[in-house]
Amino acid sequence: MEMYAAGEWLRYAEGLTAFHAGEIGNEHWGRDSGGAQAVRHHIEEAMNRIVLPPATNRVIIALDKEEAQSIYPVIGDNPSVASPIPGRQLAEDGIAVTIARVALGSHAPRPATAFRDADKLDTMQPSYHKRVLFLNDQNSEPVWLLTQDSHQHQGAQSPMRIGTQRSCEDFDEIAASRMSKDMHATSRVEITVPEPGGLPAGTVAALIARLCDQALVWDSRTSRPAPLHLGHTADRDHPDYGDHDPGGEADDDITEDDFDE
């Protein structure tokens, strides 16, 4: 595991130390057109400095939708918006580049109730899955939804969670005294593959789901795959986090021509 910091790739602990020792961000970076372009240049510089193992012919890049869509608008929900993808120089050098997008929380759909043969349909008790990767393959645009029991649900009081015993169709039957408790007991991660790079999209989705199982310092899963989780927490733990102004939002009508140098 390596992290890009101070202009080079370092072992994660060293990279994290170097990152936290300096300023967060850069005055030229932002989320408007000019600032976002500067961020993309920085990312390309980092990608170009990756030392790949011998005979490596593929790189898989995972992007957090919420964090990255203003930098790379192509991973947003608007199919008419065009933009570059990271790793362009790698692709020009003959490396196959695969792009996966991860969406969390309010940016991911909420799974509907699923039933098994033994479920009691008269009470609408949902079939509770601790870890399932669902596939929605409508219009030949596959989308995966990874559902997993939340960390809170794994506690001693988990059988009392309303999301375990009832579905949202049961609102009329829920006593007012229980409405303060969490209705849903699952966290959810939407996985899409906007650029398969020659790989079966399902294989990429399964890899992303498995990387959510690679928590390094605790006994549960993470919502983001391990490299994204570590990058996210590195930002959140920076001493200056919260004081840095990321700039404005990306332009809605941005096109590929806007990125020509």
Side-chain angles (χ1 to χ4, degrees):
M1 188 76 70
E2 294 182 341
M3 180 175 177
Y4 187 72
E8 59 181 327
W9 288 94
L10 304 169
R11 291 189 305 171
Y12 177 72
E14 296 173 345
L16 183 65
T17 300
F19 174 57
H20 283 177
E23 295 182 355
I24 187 171
N26 182 297
E27 62 178 347
H28 301 296
W29 296 353
R31 295 188 179 275
D32 56 6
S33 58
Q37 186 172 3
V39 174
R40 286 189 295 272
H41 284 321
H42 174 74
I43 292 172
E44 287 303 311
E45 178 183 277
M47 299 293 292
N48 293 339
R49 295 189 180 185
I50 291 177
V51 179
L52 298 173
T56 298
N57 59 3
R58 178 176 305 281
V59 168
I60 299 176
I61 303 173
L63 298 175
D64 185 313
K65 173 189 171 184
E66 181 180 6
E67 304 290 345
Q69 64 181 342
S70 58
I71 306 300
Y72 295 102
V74 71
I75 70 164
D77 293 324
N78 187 349
S80 66
V81 175
S83 75
I85 60 174
R88 287 179 292 169
Q89 185 61 52
L90 290 175
E92 292 176 4
D93 292 340
I95 301 295
V97 177
T98 297
I99 305 294
R101 187 192 80 171
V102 177
L104 311 174
S106 60
H107 293 267
R110 189 178 296 281
T113 302
F115 296 101
R116 294 174 179 165
D117 292 340
D119 290 337
K120 298 179 181 179
L121 297 183
D122 57 333
T123 63
M124 297 294 287
Q125 180 172 343
S127 178
Y128 186 71
H129 303 287
K130 287 194 172 182
R131 191 175 306 169
V132 176
L133 185 63
F134 294 97
L135 168 63
N136 181 0
D137 196 13
Q138 296 180 355
N139 300 321
S140 300
E141 296 181 358
V143 177
W144 287 264
L145 184 67
L146 174 63
T147 65
Q148 51 197 12
D149 56 334
S150 65
H151 196 56
Q152 293 86 349
H153 184 268
Q154 298 170 12
Q157 298 298 319
S158 61
M160 296 301 295
R161 291 274 175 176
I162 292 184
T164 304
Q165 301 298 326
R166 300 199 180 262
S167 67
C168 58
E169 287 86 354
D170 285 333
F171 272 120
D172 291 340
E173 302 178 23
I174 298 177
S177 62
R178 301 189 67 189
M179 287 299 290
S180 61
K181 298 197 178 287
D182 291 342
M183 180 68 193
H184 300 278
T186 60
S187 62
R188 59 212 187 274
V189 182
E190 181 192 71
I191 304 170
T192 56
V193 187
E195 178 54 62
L199 279 178
T203 300
V204 180
L207 171 64
I208 296 300
R210 289 295 298 164
L211 285 173
C212 292
D213 255 333
Q214 308 301 315
L216 302 182
V217 294
W218 69 332
D219 60 351
S220 187
R221 296 169 57 86
T222 55
S223 295
R224 296 173 176 84
L228 269 185
H229 175 80
L230 292 175
H232 177 76
T233 55
D235 259 355
R236 299 280 171 170
D237 292 342
H238 193 284
D240 294 333
Y241 182 80
D243 295 332
H244 177 64
D245 181 7
E249 296 298 324
D251 297 332
D252 292 335
D253 57 351
I254 202 164
T255 64
E256 184 71 33
D257 293 337
D258 294 326
F259 301 100
D260 293 338
E261 297 180 3

